[in-house]
Amino acid sequence: MSSSRRALLQGSAGLAAAAALTTTPLARPALAQAPALRIGVLADFSGIYTDLLGPAGVACARQAASEFMAATPGLNVEVIFGDHQNKADVGATLARSWFDQQGVDMLIAGPNSAVGLAASTITRDKDKVCLGVAVTATEFTNTLCTPNTINWTYDGYMLSKAVAAETVKGGGKKWYFIATDNAFGHSLQAETTAFVQEAGGSVVGGARVPLGTADFSATLQTARASGAEVIGLALGGNDLPNCIKQAQEFGITRRMKMAALVMFLSDIKAAGLPVMQQLLFTNSFYWDTNEQTRAFTRRVLPVMGGAYPGMVHAGCYAVTRHYLKAVAAMGVARAKQSGAAVVAQMKTMPTEDDAFGQGSIRADGRAVLAAYLLQVKAPGESRQDWDFCKLVSTMAPEETVKPLAQSACPLIRG
């Protein structure tokens, strides 16, 4: 366990035992009689995605609620959290219990697409609000969209398109893929291949490897001999840094670009700059992008246990803030009557916060936000801890989402 994660867990009154449902009211004593809004963060607090959302995501949601209450007299907000253990049935049970027994009005879902989709279905049935902040599956706002659901931070379409199109635009036209031989790897490779070709590039080859591969040498030698300029990595967990480390040993990273199709700030922290340097990847938030993102980061650092916010943590802050703006516009009593009405209100309002800037929410529930192609710095370029990336290019918000003409969302198709 990292020191930052340990500090945050120790400072959050037992977040590691979140499956047992812990509640910490944010209400000030003077507002104790005001109708309480309850927000539940449904996330991984004990497995591989803990640092991706977990305690830090809860802290950012609470920060947004605290700021909003300070500016909105009479509003009372509570944030609770639960561990879905990366199991859809556990997540569904928690969500149902929150809505039926705990009075939860809005649920923040992620990471794990299966859990997010299960929570979305229950949220629709209970007429509450489900806001995704780490849901990769495009079905969440496509074929399985609901009037009670919004997906904020990213989806597979954004991640694949932004890294492919922006890398091709920067001169990386010939691609070779190394992908995990499972649904995750297959899907990412297929989606990114289409975007590489759409942007004017080509795919000259690819290889699929078992999850947990220890030796990438043969695959990397084939990639080097392929004539590709970019190696697209549809790998997760320890496979990603292991593959990059071996590519460095063969000298491949000196002549070929490496692009991760899914990567987060916490991955760089875990592996270190010497391993991840020069790697290309896409996120919708980076803390050092502009003065607004830096201001947001300064506000949340005191509650994050030493870690810097990644895009999922920022998503927890942003969705909480926008949800509360909608509730304030409607009135708490009306908002508690219908989650679908709150989501409809959220869609009518432009989004704006220090983490993501200005944006909007489409009729299908997808937030329309910019995406950034980032490159990991070399150790000598980094000025401080968490100064990991430099901005290569920006994809405009309207380019990061699947066109509505291609959507199968029932809300669009009627």
Side-chain angles (χ1 to χ4, degrees):
M1 180 187 296
S2 68
S3 59
S4 62
R5 177 181 165 197
R6 185 180 296 108
L8 190 52
L9 287 170
Q10 290 172 343
S12 299
L15 276 172
L21 187 63
T22 302
T23 303
T24 303
L26 283 168
R28 295 166 290 181
L31 300 179
Q33 301 305 311
L37 286 166
R38 303 195 92 192
I39 296 171
V41 181
L42 185 62
D44 178 5
F45 291 89
S46 58
I48 61 174
Y49 298 127
T50 302
D51 289 337
L52 180 60
L53 196 164
V58 175
C60 286
R62 287 177 170 167
Q63 179 71 21
S66 180
E67 291 176 5
F68 204 88
M69 284 192 298
T72 313
L75 188 65
N76 177 17
V77 184
E78 300 174 0
V79 178
I80 67 175
F81 50 87
D83 187 353
H84 58 51
Q85 302 172 37
N86 289 304
K87 298 176 181 177
D89 59 336
V90 173
T93 298
L94 266 174
R96 192 174 289 108
S97 172
W98 282 356
F99 295 143
D100 290 345
Q101 302 169 25
Q102 303 294 330
V104 167
D105 301 291
M106 183 269 273
L107 181 152
I108 296 175
N112 188 300
S113 292
V115 174
L117 290 167
S120 175
T121 298
I122 293 167
T123 304
R124 177 199 62 200
D125 294 344
K126 303 293 183 180
D127 196 15
K128 302 294 185 177
V129 178
C130 181
L131 306 180
V133 296
V135 179
T136 306
T138 55
E139 292 86 353
F140 195 68
T141 54
N142 192 4
T143 54
L144 300 178
C145 74
T146 83
N148 300 73
T149 303
I150 287 171
N151 196 17
W152 189 275
T153 320
Y154 66 86
D155 62 11
Y157 183 94
M158 186 212 85
L159 293 174
S160 298
K161 181 176 182 180
V163 75
E166 294 300 310
T167 300
V168 171
K169 188 188 300 181
K173 294 185 178 297
K174 295 181 180 179
W175 286 58
Y176 185 98
F177 286 97
I178 300 176
T180 303
D181 192 10
N182 58 15
F184 165 84
H186 299 178
S187 175
L188 278 176
Q189 180 177 346
E191 289 179 352
T192 311
T193 293
F195 290 125
V196 168
Q197 294 170 340
E198 182 181 290
S202 62
V203 176
V204 299
R208 291 175 176 173
V209 297
L211 186 66
T213 293
D215 185 2
F216 288 90
S217 57
T219 302
L220 288 167
Q221 296 284 17
T222 302
R224 176 162 60 182
S226 69
E229 299 159 336
V230 181
I231 299 179
L233 301 172
L235 304 171
N238 291 329
D239 289 350
L240 180 62
N242 287 344
C243 182
I244 296 169
K245 190 179 299 183
Q246 291 176 41
Q248 291 174 341
E249 294 170 356
F250 287 116
I252 292 174
T253 57
R254 290 196 296 269
R255 60 181 295 267
M256 300 177 73
K257 296 179 179 180
M258 308 285 283
L261 307 188
V262 176
M263 198 172 80
F264 304 93
L265 199 65
S266 55
D267 296 324
I268 306 172
K269 178 65 174 177
L273 290 180
V275 172
M276 307 297 265
Q277 59 182 308
Q278 308 305 321
L279 187 67
L280 295 165
F281 70 104
T282 295
N283 272 199
S284 58
F285 164 86
Y286 179 60
W287 72 267
D288 201 23
T289 301
N290 53 49
E291 187 50 46
Q292 286 70 41
T293 59
R294 289 187 283 272
F296 161 74
T297 299
R298 286 192 295 269
R299 293 202 305 277
V300 299
L301 277 179
V303 299
M304 291 200 60
Y308 272 54
M311 67 172 170
V312 177
H313 307 132
C316 288
Y317 174 91
V319 296
T320 300
R321 179 179 174 83
H322 195 65
Y323 167 76
L324 293 176
K325 285 171 63 177
V327 170
M330 298 173 62
V332 174
R334 182 177 168 221
K336 291 178 76 69
Q337 291 175 357
S338 171
V342 178
V343 169
Q345 179 68 34
M346 293 174 71
K347 291 176 181 178
T348 68
M349 304 170 69
T351 67
E352 185 172 7
D353 57 79
D354 283 346
F356 295 91
Q358 296 179 335
S360 61
I361 301 172
R362 300 194 311 184
D364 61 350
R366 184 70 176 96
V368 183
L369 306 167
Y372 306 105
L373 181 65
L374 302 167
Q375 186 171 44
V376 181
K377 291 182 175 181
E381 297 175 295
S382 179
R383 301 161 297 176
Q384 63 180 68
D385 194 18
W386 295 95
D387 177 27
F388 293 158
C389 304
K390 51 190 174 185
L391 178 63
V392 177
S393 61
T394 301
M395 177 170 277
E398 61 272 14
E399 297 296 322
T400 68
V401 290
K402 182 187 286 289
L404 285 177
Q406 299 175 18
S407 174
C409 171
L411 302 176
I412 305 299
R413 298 296 154 217

